[in-house]
């Protein structure tokens, strides 16, 4: 299975509904397919500059490393030299903050959601809500 536009739009809508429910700061939400190609993106009114780039870096980092960015952030804290080098090697296409969550179907990675705008844990909560939908 792969992510299609309708599914990506459902993920976006549910993530933004969760953001509204928890009174999150304005967010940017991106859904990427397994190859890192954008399927859908939304930026709430008032979201600050660079939110698209950060959300995309979270989703790309999850895809590239095969794990959610909350896990990657913990690994980066324990091995900063490697992860600093990694960020340089991938041209900055990775962010070490929660909010990048893998999308799976039948155990296979089919894409990722990246969210930026609030705290990392809030971003991740909204991403997971989107994926549950």
């Amino acid at each position: 299975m792969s992510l299609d536009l309708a599914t990506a739009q459902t993920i976006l809508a549910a993530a933004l509904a969760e953001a509204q429910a928890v009174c999150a700061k304005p967010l940017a939400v991106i859904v990427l397919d397994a190859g890192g190609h954008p399927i859908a993106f939304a930026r709430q009114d008032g979201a600050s500059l660079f939110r698209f780039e950060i959300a995309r870096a979270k989703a790309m980092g999850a895809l590239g490393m095969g794990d959610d960015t909350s896990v990657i952030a913990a690994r980066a804290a324990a091995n900063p030299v490697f992860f600093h080098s990694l960020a340089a090697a991938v041209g900055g296409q990775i962010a070490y903050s929660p909010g990048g969550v893998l999308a799976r179907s039948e155990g296979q990675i089919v894409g990722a959601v990246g969210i930026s705008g609030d705290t990392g844990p809030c971003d991740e909560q909204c991403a997971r809500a989107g994926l549950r939908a």
Side-chain angles (χ1 to χ4, degrees):
M1 178 197 157
S2 62
L3 287 176
D4 59 17
L5 179 59
T7 302
Q9 290 173 327
T10 298
I11 292 168
L12 281 178
L16 293 173
E18 179 72 8
Q20 184 176 3
V22 300
C23 299
K25 293 178 183 174
L27 303 179
V29 182
I30 193 165
V31 180
L32 305 178
D33 68 14
H37 302 99
I39 302 171
F41 171 74
R43 179 188 166 276
Q44 290 182 301
D45 295 341
S48 62
L49 193 60
F50 301 133
R51 291 300 167 194
F52 170 82
E53 291 83 1
I54 297 166
R56 187 169 189 276
K58 287 181 180 186
M60 285 295 287
L63 285 170
M65 296 298 290
D67 220 331
D68 297 342
T69 55
S70 58
V71 173
I72 296 167
R75 290 174 51 202
N79 192 354
V81 172
F82 169 76
F83 282 92
H84 180 75
S85 298
L86 173 64
V90 300
Q93 293 187 78
I94 189 166
Y96 306 123
S97 176
V101 181
L102 293 172
R104 297 178 188 268
S105 177
E106 299 176 10
Q108 298 293 331
I109 296 171
V110 295
V113 178
I115 297 184
S116 178
D118 205 290
T119 64
C122 181
D123 293 348
E124 182 172 340
Q125 176 182 342
C126 294
R128 292 193 183 288
L131 288 167
R132 281 192 301 274

